[in-house]
Amino acid sequence: MSQTESSPNFAAYRTVGEAAEYLGVSPATLRNWDRAGKLKPRRHPQNGYRIYLHGDLEALLRSTDLASPISAASDDGAAVRVDWSAMGENEHFVQFYEKDAFLVDSVCGFAASALSAGQTSLISATPEHRGAVEQKLAAGGIDVAAAVAAGRLVLLDAQETLSTFMIDGSPDRKLFNATVGKKIAEMARSGRRIHIFGEMVALLWSDGNRDGAIYLEELWNDLRKKHPFALFCAYPIAGFGTDSDVPALRGVCDCHSRVIPGESYAAIDGDDARLRAITLLQQKAQALEAEIAHRKEVENVLLRRERELADFVENAAVGLHKVGPDGTILWANQAECDLLGYAMEEVIGRSVADFHADADVIAELLAKLTAGEAVENFPARLRCRNGRIKHVLISSNACFEEGRFAYTRCFTRDMTRQWQAENALRDADRRKDEFLATLAHELRNPLAPIKNALELLKIAGPDEEVVGEARSIMERQVQQMSRLVDDLLDVSRITRDQIELRKQRVELAAVLKSAVETSRPLIDAARHELSLHLPGRPVLLEVDPVRMAQVFSNLLNNSAKYTLPGGHIRIEAKTVGQEVVVAVQDDGLGISCDALAHVFDMFRQVDGSLERSQGGLGIGLTVVRRLVELHGGSINAQSDGLGKGSAFIVRLPIAAAATGAGPKKPVAGDARVPRRRILVVDDNQDSGDTLGILLRMKGHEVRTARDGIEAIEVAGQFLPEIILMDVGMPKMNGYDATRRIRQMASVKEAFIVALTGWGQADDIQRSLEAGCSAHLVKPVDLVALDRLLMNWESARH
């Protein structure tokens, strides 16, 4: 070191090393001072000399070209300079950066400006950034180790420092002051200005703890009020890449006294270039806002459609569910849960096999789907929560992701009702076939003895005993066939709700006695013992006596058929409140528990096997139940099982007490029928001839005709009082013939009776509309015909 001659109070240094050693800085720092115009007088710590650099050394410093640690390179290679000297003594600024290299250069420049000016610097950064800064400072000529040893440079790990004052994800003020605040206070005691770089806020921000980062900025601002320092914070601009980050960016900026943009903007030199850049940035911002607005609109539409689709799927009428590769149900809509009767949380997460009634079926279904095969309308049975079985059709396909089976999408359609309907149709079809076979059997049964009886009549000659027996056989078998036909007609009326009741007030005893008389031949033929037990007082009913007698006659016939010869049948009636309870009991074959539930079903028999069949069509009890219900009553069957007999319990309302005449009784017709002129019209010659013969034997004058045209001709000649008109005939049917006869003056007042096998209500109405006076159903009941012939004049009027 040599002093100038002219000014002993000044010292000059001819080497950079001497000046740097005296000043306590590196030679590179001394050169940086010169470039920045920062060479200032310094006082010697020992003798108080004012020190300036020698002119030759000053020229040497200015001619030296060394890289400055306070400069950085932008993307286009241009130097980016930040004037750190412009930072105030107590200032809090933020630097946004695009690349880590720019951040490291900025931190180096900030720290070097403090150290070069004899001040102190604290750097709290990540290990990567802190190491890069140390290397950069050393490369710029700063002795990092000496600065750290002298307490003028403090290096901290940002994450470790952050952990000292964080509680439950938020900075704690007391801990912050006790750790960071204490460190700043220690540095402030040296009297030097303090420059601080803190990366802790950036760490919080990158972790998504934005509230914590803002709060930490506020803690730094509060700390500056106690100990002035220049604080440098930095955030990667990539952390503010969405439109929703605008308020957060504004909040960060509000915490700082100065905001420095990223390197792309900071690298621009000149006011005009910066204004142009700002204009371009404004245009980009405007375009970006428009794009963001458009995207928001698109997102809103997509969200709305997604919600609509989700709502549609969730509330679809068809069941939907998604199954994972292991068979676990991943999702199901409400319809699927309702189908099974479970809550949604009880379905999701369970194996789909838990709900299938057939393990082999679901195994086959999953195997098909796993193999990539789509299934459509795959039949399966599902077990519901209440134990019932639902018949469904499943359509499903597998979804593969990167060649891996991910899940299946399944549609479940409940086909239970359709299955039941189809099953009922199959059952009805089967029962129809059984019925037709039974009907054919039942019709052939009486035909065989009738045919045999006719042969007996051919060969019997004058043998009255044989003739009488043949006649009895034919009468019984014709009655049996008539009952079959009547039962069929009743079933048809029941299915169409066309049964008409002619109610009147009658005694129960009269109804039961009529039923017994009807069933007596069958009971006596089987040698059954019948007992009848009635209440002590007369019981009045408001019923159709014929139909109610039919009810109990059918029950008696049923007991007679299903009771072994010599059995016992009992009818017991008693009053219970406003009802009369009539039980028809027997000690016959009985009814099994399974058959008991179906005993009133149409075409069902207690035992339909050929070896135990007792005849009949299996429709009698169906008719009985419907007739009882039409009278406001009820019926049920009871049996302790096969071989233990059975009982049919009928409950009927008792008629209310009434004054005046007692129950009506049918007026018996006079057996002596006056002689009439009768025309019998029937295209069946045997039917017409036999009816004509019967009427002649009763004393009537009879003519016959074979069709409608012949009937008109004969009527004009014969002038009949009564015409028995068949309806279905060739050439001209009975309806048209009746209309033509009504137009003939000579016979238009004749009493015309429609005679046909059709007996429905609309058939009777059609006959009356054609001009007929009455309607009889074949085969004709001769007693009813006699009554009609005797009272035809009153019936006509």
Side-chain angles (χ1 to χ4, degrees):
M1 179 179 70
S2 63
Q3 298 178 338
T4 62
E5 300 294 336
S6 59
S7 179
N9 292 329
F10 292 90
Y13 297 88
R14 296 193 177 276
T15 66
V16 175
E18 289 179 352
E21 182 180 359
Y22 171 72
L23 296 173
V25 298
S26 67
T29 300
L30 205 59
R31 296 187 184 97
N32 289 336
W33 284 351
D34 178 60
R35 290 194 184 96
K38 298 254 180 150
L39 291 177
K40 299 265 177 100
R42 297 283 175 170
R43 182 175 298 278
H44 194 285
Q46 297 178 355
N47 56 23
Y49 287 164
R50 302 283 296 180
I51 301 172
Y52 283 90
L53 293 179
H54 188 275
D56 292 340
L57 180 59
E58 183 177 353
L60 175 64
L61 292 175
R62 288 199 173 99
S63 65
T64 304
D65 185 15
L66 295 177
S68 172
I70 63 173
S71 65
S74 67
D75 290 338
D76 58 2
V80 178
R81 287 188 174 275
V82 179
D83 186 5
W84 302 112
S85 63
M87 299 300 169
E89 183 179 351
N90 189 13
E91 188 171 358
H92 184 189
F93 63 94
V94 60
Q95 167 80 63
F96 293 98
Y97 65 93
E98 298 165 13
K99 295 183 179 180
D100 285 358
F102 179 76
L103 172 66
V104 171
D105 287 339
S106 296
V107 174
C108 284
F110 179 66
S113 67
L115 295 174
S116 298
Q119 301 165 5
T120 60
S121 180
L122 184 150
I123 299 175
S124 174
T126 63
E128 295 78 12
H129 290 163
R130 194 174 65 251
V133 168
E134 290 183 47
Q135 293 179 4
K136 193 79 173 178
L137 289 174
I142 294 179
D143 189 345
V144 175
V148 171
R152 297 178 55 233
L153 177 62
V154 178
L155 299 174
L156 299 177
D157 184 283
Q159 190 64 56
E160 292 180 358
T161 306
L162 189 63
S163 64
T164 62
F165 57 81
M166 294 292 293
I167 298 179
D168 296 331
S170 179
D172 182 80
R173 181 180 293 274
K174 289 184 178 180
L175 292 177
F176 177 77
N177 291 332
T179 54
V180 177
K182 180 180 179 181
K183 191 66 178 178
I184 301 302
E186 293 174 354
M187 296 175 67
R189 284 198 287 269
S190 68
R192 302 186 183 96
R193 291 180 60 187
I194 304 173
H195 285 200
I196 300 174
F197 169 74
E199 198 175 358
M200 295 179 290
V201 289
L203 292 179
L204 290 174
W205 195 271
S206 64
D207 289 340
N209 190 354
R210 298 186 174 187
D211 291 339
I214 296 296
Y215 185 54
L216 181 55
E217 297 279 17
E218 295 173 356
L219 293 181
W220 278 115
N221 286 333
D222 291 342
L223 188 59
R224 285 192 303 116
K225 297 175 182 178
K226 299 180 181 179
H227 309 289
F229 52 83
L231 176 61
F232 173 15
C233 296
Y235 291 83
I237 195 65
F240 304 87
T242 65
D243 182 53
S244 60
D245 292 327
V246 172
L249 178 61
R250 185 178 293 113
V252 170
C253 293
D254 290 343
C255 293
H256 299 83
S257 58
R258 185 181 303 189
V259 178
I260 303 175
E263 54 266 39
S264 295
Y265 179 76
I268 302 174
D269 291 330
D271 293 340
D272 180 68
R274 291 179 182 272
L275 291 175
R276 291 176 183 273
I278 292 173
T279 302
L280 291 175
L281 288 174
Q282 287 179 327
Q283 186 277 330
K284 289 181 180 180
Q286 189 70 25
L288 182 60
E289 288 181 0
E291 177 65 20
I292 291 173
H294 175 68
R295 292 196 177 191
K296 281 187 175 180
E297 182 179 354
V298 172
E299 288 178 0
N300 290 334
V301 171
L302 291 176
L303 286 173
R304 185 168 63 252
R305 290 181 178 177
E306 184 177 352
R307 287 194 298 267
E308 290 173 354
L309 179 60
D311 181 71
F312 175 81
V313 170
E314 288 288 349
N315 297 286
V318 66
L320 303 171
H321 63 282
K322 186 163 69 172
V323 178
D326 61 349
T328 300
I329 298 177
L330 305 176
W331 170 86
N333 71 345
Q334 192 60 48
E336 184 82 11
C337 298
D338 292 343
L339 173 68
L340 299 171
Y342 286 92
M344 192 169 295
E345 59 270 17
E346 296 175 312
V347 173
I348 298 175
R350 291 181 59 178
S351 172
V352 69
D354 293 346
F355 303 99
H356 278 260
D358 305 301
D360 56 335
V361 173
I362 182 59
E364 178 186 358
L365 178 60
L366 290 176
K368 288 178 177 290
L369 294 171
T370 303
E373 180 181 349
V375 298
E376 186 173 355
N377 295 330
F378 190 90
R381 299 191 311 144
L382 301 182
R383 182 180 292 105
C384 301
R385 185 172 189 174
N386 58 12
R388 293 182 178 177
I389 297 296
K390 289 290 183 71
H391 295 262
V392 300
L393 291 178
I394 298 175
S395 296
S396 180
N397 63 325
C399 179
F400 288 82
E401 295 178 352
E402 297 180 354
R404 183 180 58 86
F405 177 46
Y407 58 86
T408 64
R409 294 161 289 203
C410 304
F411 299 79
T412 309
R413 285 193 296 149
D414 185 2
M415 305 299 290
T416 304
R417 289 187 178 180
Q418 181 176 336
W419 180 89
Q420 291 172 341
E422 291 175 352
N423 197 50
L425 285 175
R426 288 191 294 268
D427 185 60
D429 190 59
R430 176 184 57 77
R431 289 167 60 188
K432 177 201 70 177
D433 292 341
E434 292 177 356
F435 166 71
L436 291 176
T438 303
L439 177 60
H441 176 267
E442 291 301 315
L443 289 176
R444 289 191 182 98
N445 277 345
L447 286 175
I450 289 175
K451 184 176 180 181
N452 294 337
L454 288 173
E455 293 298 326
L456 286 174
L457 290 176
K458 290 179 183 179
I459 64 177
D463 191 337
E464 293 293 334
E465 183 178 353
V466 174
V467 171
E469 181 64 23
R471 185 173 61 192
S472 298
I473 291 172
M474 295 175 69
E475 287 178 352
R476 288 195 300 271
Q477 298 307 319
V478 168
Q479 288 177 357
Q480 174 66 11
M481 293 183 69
S482 296
R483 280 199 301 271
L484 290 174
V485 174
D486 288 342
D487 283 348
L488 286 173
L489 293 175
D490 284 340
V491 167
S492 178
R493 295 186 187 102
I494 285 175
T495 56
R496 298 186 181 187
D497 284 332
Q498 291 179 341
I499 290 183
E500 296 181 5
L501 300 180
R502 295 181 175 89
K503 291 185 178 182
Q504 62 186 65
R505 189 171 293 241
V506 296
E507 288 187 5
L508 173 65
V511 172
L512 293 178
K513 288 178 181 178
S514 176
V516 170
E517 289 175 1
T518 303
S519 302
R520 178 62 70 178
L522 187 60
I523 295 173
D524 291 344
R527 305 188 307 278
H528 295 319
E529 180 181 336
L530 174 65
S531 59
L532 179 63
H533 303 272
L534 300 173
R537 294 184 177 183
V539 178
L540 297 181
L541 303 175
E542 191 75 29
V543 296
D544 183 328
V546 175
R547 289 297 188 182
M548 193 51 60
Q550 180 185 356
V551 166
F552 292 107
S553 176
N554 279 4
L555 293 178
L556 287 171
N557 291 343
N558 194 68
S559 291
K561 286 194 298 182
Y562 290 99
T563 300
L564 296 177
H568 299 80
I569 302 174
R570 174 186 176 90
I571 303 177
E572 182 178 6
K574 58 183 178 180
T575 58
V576 179
Q578 297 301 312
E579 288 184 328
V580 60
V581 181
V582 182
V584 179
Q585 301 170 297
D586 62 64
D587 55 2
L589 299 179
I591 308 172
S592 68
C593 293
D594 294 338
L596 199 60
H598 304 286
V599 72
F600 292 104
D601 292 353
M602 195 174 295
F603 309 135
R604 289 291 185 103
Q605 291 181 314
V606 173
D607 188 345
S609 61
L610 293 175
E611 57 270 19
R612 298 189 64 181
S613 176
Q614 301 298 316
L617 301 176
I619 57 180
L621 291 178
T622 304
V623 173
V624 165
R625 180 177 63 179
R626 185 58 180 150
L627 289 175
V628 170
E629 290 173 348
L630 287 174
H631 284 87
S634 63
I635 182 172
N636 69 293
Q638 299 176 0
S639 178
D640 292 332
L642 293 176
K644 297 183 180 180
S646 60
F648 289 85
I649 314 300
V650 178
R651 295 177 178 272
L652 294 168
I654 299 174
T659 59
K664 295 181 180 180
K665 295 182 180 180
V667 178
D670 191 342
R672 295 172 296 178
V673 179
R675 178 185 175 87
R676 306 294 185 190
R677 289 194 311 280
I678 303 175
L679 172 59
V680 178
V681 186
D682 199 324
D683 65 323
N684 187 312
Q685 184 173 349
D686 290 342
S687 178
D689 289 349
T690 54
L691 182 56
I693 292 171
L694 287 172
L695 292 173
R696 290 189 187 99
M697 291 177 67
K698 289 179 177 290
H700 300 294
E701 184 179 356
V702 181
R703 295 284 182 88
T704 59
R706 296 291 176 260
D707 55 57
I709 295 176
E710 186 180 355
I712 295 171
E713 295 175 356
V714 174
Q717 300 168 3
F718 181 53
L719 302 178
E721 298 171 281
I722 299 171
I723 302 176
L724 302 178
M725 180 72 74
D726 188 17
V727 172
M729 296 183 295
K731 297 183 180 179
M732 181 181 290
N733 63 47
Y735 299 129
D736 292 339
T738 298
R739 294 187 184 94
R740 294 280 296 275
I741 291 173
R742 290 299 184 202
Q743 296 173 359
M744 300 168 60
S746 58
V747 289
K748 67 178 182 180
E749 297 298 328
F751 189 76
I752 304 177
V753 181
L755 202 62
T756 176
W758 304 100
Q760 303 298 325
D762 54 349
D763 299 320
I764 298 173
Q765 183 64 30
R766 187 178 179 187
S767 298
L768 297 178
E769 290 175 352
C772 295
S773 307
H775 186 104
L776 290 179
V777 179
K778 295 180 179 181
V780 178
D781 185 342
L782 295 180
V783 175
L785 180 59
D786 285 344
R787 187 181 300 113
L788 185 62
L789 294 177
M790 185 174 60
N791 301 309
W792 69 278
E793 289 184 346
S794 60
R796 181 176 61 181
H797 299 294

